[in-house]
Amino acid sequence: RFSLLLLNLEEYYFEQHRANHITNKDCKDERKFRGSLKICSKSIIFEPDDNIQPIIKIPLRDCISIKAPEDNEANNPFTRVTSGGISVVCSQVFLIKERNVIAPYKTVRGRTEHLFQLDVAGKVGDVVQTLHQLYRASCLDKMGDQAAMITAILQSRLARTSFDKNRFQSISETLHMECKAEMVTPLVTNPGHVCVTDANLYFQPLNGYPKPVVQITLQNVRRIYKRRHGLMPLGLEVFCTENDLCSDIYLKFYNYQDRDEVYFLIATYIENHIAEHTAESYMLQWQRGHISNYQYLLHLNNLADRSCNDLSQYPVFPWIIADYSSSELDLMKPETFRDLSKPVGALNKERLDRLLTRYQEMPEPKFMYGSHYSSPGYVLFYLVRVAPEYMLCLQNGKFDHADRMFNSIAETWKNCLDGATDFKELIPEFYEKDSSFLVNSLKLDLGKRQGGKMVEDVELPPWASGPDDFLQKSQEALESQYVSEHLHEWIDIIFGYKQKGSEAVAAHNVFHPLTYEGGVDLNSIMDPNEKVALLTQILEFGQTPKQLFTIPHPQRIIPKLKSLSRTSSHSVSITESPVSPNEESFEDLTEESITLAWNNIAKLKLDEQYKIHKEAITGIAVTCKGSSVFTTSQDSTLKMFSKESKTIQRSVSFSNMALSSCLILPGDSTVISSSWDNHIYFYSIAFGRQQDILMGHDDAVSKICWRDGRLYSASWDSTVKVWHCVPGEIPTNKKHHFELLAELEHDVSVNTIDLNAANTILASGTKEGTISVWDVSTATVPECLNMLFFFLFLLFAFFFGTDSRHLLSSGEDCCFKVIDVQTGMLISSVTTDQPQRCFKWDGNTILSGAQSGELLIWDLLGGKVVERIKGHTGAVTSMWMNEQCNSVITGGEDKQIMFWKLQY
């Protein structure tokens, strides 16, 4: 029945002793109760073995005397004695869990004496001495002085003990480090010793509670996060699962060096087993529908220091539904949903106007809201029915007033809209499967409301048939199309660029400065009493999550004619609109075959290889039927290779300068090659001769693209030029007609360009790593939409994803980077062990050509290589893939072209 929740906030449990509690000593009705005597930093607690009897809690500050019964020195009631019993006389005592019922504590006021007879009489002297020390600490006037003295006692105890190495799982384990720390659970911390070996993480509580040793096998660790605890960078949380809300252990260290060393040891161990996840990597998975809205919010909370073990930083989830009166919940109506672009405090315009008036009149530092959207009190407001002991711990043994309890969903939502000081959001439990927090299954006496009604189960909206149905519909709402389209707006407010600064002011999202990370530097406050008071105030008020994004968060990509729905395990399933088998379109079949090909891309096998050039290959183009392969090379030649005869059928040299790329115009009649001699050459396949020359640049042409009668050419002369091109005709000697539509200026040489599938957006990349995005959808001068990223390294290649929302780039820095085109945000970065010179991707998987000559297959979302295929003897410099994605041709520095096929 005993738990650390019976302690006060910031109190420690030091030790326990088996003992008898003797009442009415030397009287006829003298009684003995067997149990355990707990010595805590601010109280004495006796837990009887008999569950009918209440747990007795005696605050040390209310003690009148602590002595042995035989001690007759009236003037010195705290003299150290060595008898078998300890007498405690106090002015107040709390009775807890009488008849094993969770209820508000009973307070017995008035002078009472309690006699505790220890089983081991020899320990009485040490126990009494400890109680005297703690009593003196509790009698100090100022909280800071109390905390300092208790901390000194705790550190002395920790210094006299060490981790018991006999607790190691194996005698062969190697110890890496040992230090002092505290295990954190909601509202309480438990001091002890941490050990990290080559196989396990251990925590041994000083008091042996709740068990002698907590052990985490490093091999099972999946995630590890550094945490702020008490506004200080001292926390560390370890998860052995990928998607669970609660961790396996949360530790708070006494200095950040110990925390960082433990983090380093564990992270070093697991880095070869799992990929480190960042907010950006989760964003990419969420955007593409690989994780649900629920899972994404859970990961963001984790990354923003929110933890189930810290009620002042509990995970925060949004109110989604705004309709709690209808008999049916219509998720197709926008009015059903809360406006996710605004904080709760700004949802009611009248209330907001009053708050803004006060804000304008307020002296610095200004804030709009006097309470936060997440605090320990709000969390336990929702969870009181399943976590009543936490509420009793937080509120000094009392429940809140019955009318202020979580009585009704609709009432709570209305109060959040209209209440002068109520701006709270929700907690993850509203989108989980366990509905017990809505039901008073423990039969708790939570009081009687003004109308005489007892507080029982939470009153649900008419559209919910019961608690489980309410959660199911809430989950469906969270994963609905409306929320998927707007959730990024709420993320901007809670975790993103509207959290702080001028954007927060514009979004009406300004809370008290002390709630923000870095709002106060505790180390700069020298007065211990001021520090304790400030810390207590902040922890009770609530804290704003760590800011994860400083630019607008990208919107989720919503599949066309598809709806997202979350399964019971919070994974995403994609449900097609109803189509009969006979109506399946050719496009659907093509898409299925492409998906099948990418799912099996690791089965790519080398079919043929030919050495056809004298220098590295720079470009590959293939005719529609696949019979002829054209390649360009630094040896200045364009070659035509026949797949049927396996011979070079043509070899053309336009100049003595290297050719940089090639492409075939629709109809397979003309090949275009770009050259380092500043020219672009047009070659007629049918007539086997040079057809035209475009002298378009002042330096080498690095890359060309062709779409819908437009030629796009990139050059080292720092420009990209857009040409309208009318093809010529060989028999009549009619030349191509070129009209320069636009010249896109850059600061330095342009290395590469790519067009999205709709031919509306052009991306250009320079030798210094700047990627720019241009709107080329109109016939007028293209507009620069965004300068996406500045990498400070040479870009080898980048390509749009099939959805046109993302660009994937590779460069000299040995990284794949995924960039959101709309916002310019870097949303994923995967480190490679060597430069990747060229690649193809489908949004989830990458097939890349490496500097070493290998072909590598990457799981982009997992951030790891899933297959290495031996290929060229030098760097892979060029890659072509057919439309069905089941045939690949690569060219390399070894002057060879290699033909690859999927073998299912």
Side-chain angles (χ1 to χ4, degrees):
R1 290 191 299 161
F2 171 80
S3 84
L4 297 178
L5 293 169
L6 301 185
L7 278 59
N8 294 352
L9 296 176
E10 304 297 318
E11 183 175 9
Y12 296 109
Y13 165 37
F14 284 141
E15 60 191 53
Q16 75 163 351
H17 303 273
R18 293 296 295 167
N20 291 318
H21 179 215
I22 303 173
T23 60
N24 303 317
K25 183 171 172 58
D26 299 328
C27 298
K28 288 184 179 180
D29 55 349
E30 175 181 319
R31 297 183 67 186
K32 285 186 179 181
F33 298 99
R34 290 287 291 159
S36 297
L37 184 68
K38 323 279 186 182
I39 309 301
C40 307
S41 60
K42 298 180 182 180
S43 61
I44 304 168
I45 296 176
F46 181 78
E47 179 191 17
D49 293 345
D50 184 355
N51 286 351
I52 300 298
Q53 298 300 316
I55 293 172
I56 298 168
K57 179 179 179 179
I58 306 170
L60 284 168
R61 67 173 184 274
D62 294 326
C63 287
I64 299 170
S65 70
I66 302 171
K67 62 178 183 177
E70 295 85 354
D71 186 9
N72 296 316
E73 294 182 48
N75 295 326
N76 188 7
F78 299 106
T79 302
R80 176 176 174 172
V81 293
T82 55
S83 65
I86 300 172
S87 169
V88 179
V89 179
C90 60
S91 60
Q92 181 173 254
V93 65
F94 297 107
L95 304 181
I96 305 169
K97 288 188 179 178
E98 190 169 8
R99 299 187 178 278
N100 210 26
V101 174
I102 299 171
Y105 303 170
K106 287 185 180 178
T107 306
V108 179
R109 293 186 175 87
R111 185 185 177 102
T112 55
E113 181 179 7
H114 300 268
L115 181 63
F116 301 103
Q117 189 174 42
L118 304 190
D119 286 6
V120 182
K123 290 188 176 181
V124 168
D126 290 336
V127 172
V128 171
Q129 184 183 37
T130 298
L131 290 174
H132 288 169
Q133 279 185 311
L134 296 170
Y135 170 80
R136 285 196 295 274
S138 68
C139 290
L140 294 172
D141 291 335
K142 296 180 177 179
M143 294 297 295
D145 296 336
Q146 288 185 27
M149 187 169 176
I150 289 170
T151 299
I153 295 169
L154 170 63
Q155 292 300 323
S156 173
R157 285 174 163 260
L158 287 169
R160 295 196 304 268
T161 57
S162 62
F163 187 89
D164 180 4
K165 308 301 188 295
N166 292 321
R167 296 287 183 178
F168 282 178
Q169 291 289 300
S170 167
I171 58 173
S172 62
E173 282 186 68
T174 303
L175 175 66
H176 286 323
M177 79 164 291
E178 178 182 350
C179 64
K180 298 175 287 186
E182 296 176 12
M183 188 169 78
V184 179
T185 51
L187 300 181
V188 290
T189 60
N190 203 10
H193 295 275
V194 167
C195 247
V196 183
T197 71
D198 57 348
N200 294 288
L201 166 68
Y202 296 97
F203 176 76
Q204 186 171 32
L206 188 64
N207 51 34
Y209 179 88
K211 54 184 179 180
V213 168
V214 178
Q215 178 239 334
I216 305 289
T217 303
L218 296 183
Q219 196 171 357
N220 294 336
V221 174
R222 288 293 168 269
R223 293 177 289 146
I224 179 170
Y225 299 99
K226 292 180 180 180
R227 296 286 190 220
R228 273 183 306 158
H229 187 273
L231 302 188
M232 301 290 283
L234 300 173
L236 186 71
E237 192 161 23
V238 179
F239 292 77
C240 291
T241 55
E242 189 55 50
N243 293 311
D244 276 7
L245 184 63
C246 297
S247 64
D248 291 80
I249 193 168
Y250 186 140
L251 296 170
K252 171 202 167 188
F253 296 82
Y254 295 112
N255 60 71
Y256 71 87
Q257 293 92 341
D258 284 346
R259 190 277 303 268
D260 289 351
E261 186 174 352
V262 172
Y263 178 89
F264 173 78
L265 289 170
I266 298 175
T268 301
Y269 179 90
I270 66 175
E271 69 180 358
N272 296 323
H273 300 76
I274 59 173
E276 182 182 0
H277 289 297
T278 62
E280 289 77 20
S281 67
Y282 285 125
M283 184 199 299
L284 183 63
Q285 294 183 58
W286 172 73
Q287 270 198 293
R288 295 189 171 283
H290 290 270
I291 59 175
S292 64
N293 292 337
Y294 168 87
Q295 287 172 318
Y296 186 45
L297 290 177
L298 206 59
H299 289 310
L300 291 184
N301 271 284
N302 259 321
L303 291 166
D305 277 345
R306 312 303 284 189
S307 167
C308 290
N309 285 307
D310 185 350
L311 295 189
S312 68
Q313 298 189 91
Y314 202 79
V316 56
F317 270 61
W319 283 97
I320 292 295
I321 300 168
D323 177 6
Y324 295 101
S325 58
S326 301
S327 57
E328 297 290 332
L329 187 66
D330 187 351
L331 297 181
M332 301 307 292
K333 288 167 53 181
E335 309 85 68
T336 299
F337 299 94
R338 163 258 183 103
D339 184 347
L340 288 165
S341 68
K342 298 176 182 177
V344 169
L347 293 175
N348 181 333
K349 187 178 184 306
E350 289 183 12
R351 178 178 65 176
L352 178 62
D353 289 342
R354 293 195 299 270
L355 292 168
L356 290 178
T357 301
R358 188 191 69 171
Y359 173 75
Q360 298 298 335
E361 298 169 352
M362 188 181 294
E364 294 291 345
K366 294 183 174 187
F367 54 89
M368 295 175 185
Y369 308 114
S371 63
H372 206 256
Y373 50 77
S374 175
S375 70
Y378 288 159
V379 173
L380 296 178
F381 167 84
Y382 292 125
L383 297 180
V384 64
R385 288 169 177 79
V386 288
E389 291 179 89
Y390 292 88
M391 176 69 87
L392 294 172
C393 177
L394 185 68
Q395 301 201 149
N396 300 313
K398 300 172 185 174
F399 289 132
D400 205 348
H401 189 280
D403 286 301
R404 290 196 296 267
M405 284 282 190
F406 181 31
N407 292 303
S408 157
I409 304 287
E411 272 183 29
T412 303
W413 169 243
K414 185 177 185 302
N415 204 51
C416 288
L417 285 182
D418 303 335
T421 59
D422 193 349
F423 315 108
K424 60 180 170 284
E425 292 279 10
L426 295 183
I427 55 176
E429 282 78 359
F430 278 81
Y431 305 103
E432 292 273 357
K433 293 184 292 183
D434 185 358
S435 62
S436 58
F437 75 100
L438 300 170
V439 182
N440 187 14
S441 56
L442 296 175
K443 303 300 179 187
L444 300 168
D445 182 358
L446 298 173
K448 188 180 291 186
R449 303 188 66 181
Q450 282 185 349
K453 186 178 179 182
M454 295 297 294
V455 176
E456 291 294 345
D457 298 347
V458 177
E459 186 179 323
L460 302 173
W463 46 257
S465 62
D468 290 341
D469 185 54
F470 171 77
L471 290 194
Q472 177 63 35
K473 287 186 168 69
S474 296
Q475 291 167 16
E476 291 169 2
L478 178 62
E479 303 303 334
S480 67
Q481 180 160 330
Y482 178 90
V483 174
S484 293
E485 289 172 350
H486 294 277
L487 188 59
H488 65 287
E489 297 172 334
W490 186 82
I491 293 169
D492 283 336
I493 291 169
I494 304 298
F495 303 106
Y497 81 110
K498 291 183 180 179
Q499 188 197 87
K500 296 178 183 177
S502 59
E503 293 288 354
V505 176
H508 305 132
N509 191 37
V510 182
F511 294 86
H512 195 286
L514 293 179
T515 66
Y516 295 93
E517 183 178 28
V520 61
D521 180 8
L522 287 181
N523 289 324
S524 67
I525 301 174
M526 304 314 294
D527 184 344
N529 301 299
E530 182 185 346
K531 184 181 289 189
V532 167
L534 191 62
L535 181 60
T536 302
Q537 176 190 344
I538 293 168
L539 297 184
E540 290 181 0
F541 189 85
Q543 295 175 70
T544 300
K546 180 163 67 177
Q547 189 174 25
L548 299 178
F549 310 106
T550 55
I551 59 176
H553 190 288
Q555 189 176 9
R556 193 173 197 183
I557 298 164
I558 309 299
K560 200 172 182 181
L561 298 177
K562 294 177 182 178
S563 61
L564 295 168
S565 63
R566 187 157 58 102
T567 65
S568 59
S569 63
H570 301 308
S571 61
V572 176
S573 64
I574 296 180
T575 310
E576 299 279 358
S577 56
V579 178
S580 67
N582 295 330
E583 292 176 347
E584 196 164 29
S585 67
F586 174 74
E587 286 78 8
D588 290 335
L589 291 171
T590 303
E591 188 175 334
E592 283 182 16
S593 66
I594 291 172
T595 302
L596 180 65
W598 275 104
N599 287 343
N600 291 276
I601 202 74
K603 298 177 181 176
L604 208 60
K605 302 294 181 187
L606 180 62
D607 188 34
E608 301 169 290
Q609 63 188 92
Y610 304 95
K611 186 174 181 179
I612 61 173
H613 281 281
K614 295 178 181 179
E615 296 292 341
I617 291 166
T618 56
I620 302 172
V622 181
T623 54
C624 286
K625 294 181 180 179
S627 57
S628 297
V629 178
F630 288 85
T631 57
T632 52
S633 168
Q634 289 182 5
D635 65 8
S636 78
T637 62
L638 169 71
K639 294 187 186 286
M640 175 179 167
F641 182 84
S642 169
K643 285 190 69 177
E644 294 174 3
S645 64
K646 302 183 184 359
T647 58
I648 297 172
Q649 294 191 330
R650 295 180 196 172
S651 180
V652 184
S653 185
F654 301 114
S655 75
N656 59 357
M657 299 284 281
L659 298 179
S660 56
S661 66
C662 63
L663 59 84
I664 300 176
L665 293 187
D668 288 351
S669 61
T670 304
V671 179
I672 310 178
S673 301
S674 57
S675 173
W676 284 9
D677 68 0
N678 313 350
H679 298 348
I680 300 168
Y681 295 93
F682 291 73
Y683 177 81
S684 171
I685 299 173
F687 292 89
R689 70 181 195 216
Q690 180 179 308
Q691 187 176 352
D692 221 329
I693 303 175
L694 174 59
M695 294 179 281
H697 288 275
D698 299 324
D699 205 338
V701 183
S702 52
K703 182 78 181 287
I704 50 176
C705 292
W706 176 281
R707 298 281 170 83
D708 297 337
R710 285 187 180 185
L711 176 67
Y712 301 83
S713 59
S715 170
W716 294 357
D717 66 5
S718 307
T719 66
V720 174
K721 294 186 178 180
V722 185
W723 311 83
H724 177 65
C725 186
V726 178
E729 296 174 11
I730 286 287
T732 61
N733 284 323
K734 185 180 177 183
K735 296 284 187 181
H736 284 72
H737 174 68
F738 304 106
E739 179 189 353
L740 180 62
L741 297 178
E743 185 170 328
L744 313 181
E745 296 284 351
H746 297 70
D747 293 333
V748 292
S749 301
V750 183
N751 276 19
T752 184
I753 53 174
D754 189 43
L755 276 165
N756 70 339
N759 304 332
T760 56
I761 302 174
L762 174 80
S764 57
T766 69
K767 71 173 185 180
E768 289 184 350
T770 306
I771 298 177
S772 301
V773 173
W774 309 80
D775 179 2
V776 292
S777 59
T778 63
T780 57
V781 177
E783 175 190 358
C784 185
L785 297 175
N786 209 348
M787 183 177 289
L788 285 186
F789 220 80
F790 191 63
F791 291 117
L792 295 173
F793 59 80
L794 176 66
L795 282 167
F796 288 135
F798 59 66
F799 294 102
F800 281 95
T802 53
D803 53 27
S804 297
R805 283 289 301 276
H806 297 132
L807 270 174
L808 178 67
S809 71
S810 67
E812 276 185 337
D813 68 336
C814 300
C815 273
F816 281 118
K817 288 183 166 66
V818 181
I819 308 156
D820 184 82
V821 174
Q822 289 184 350
T823 64
M825 181 181 286
L826 174 67
I827 60 173
S828 184
S829 181
V830 178
T831 303
T832 65
D833 59 356
Q834 58 182 310
Q836 305 298 307
R837 298 285 297 272
C838 53
F839 65 86
K840 300 292 179 184
W841 74 309
D842 72 336
N844 307 314
T845 306
I846 307 169
L847 171 66
S848 68
Q851 186 77 29
S852 64
E854 294 176 298
L855 295 191
L856 273 60
I857 293 151
W858 299 79
D859 172 8
L860 180 57
L861 301 178
K864 60 185 179 183
V865 176
V866 294
E867 191 70 41
R868 290 177 179 268
I869 305 171
K870 190 175 179 181
H872 295 265
T873 55
V876 185
T877 53
S878 189
M879 182 181 291
W880 172 88
M881 178 182 274
N882 69 341
E883 190 176 339
Q884 290 74 34
C885 305
N886 57 15
S887 178
V888 173
I889 304 173
T890 56
E893 284 184 347
D894 60 1
K895 308 153 192 174
Q896 294 192 95
I897 56 170
M898 292 186 172
F899 294 83
W900 307 81
K901 282 188 177 178
L902 276 186
Q903 296 184 2
Y904 297 110

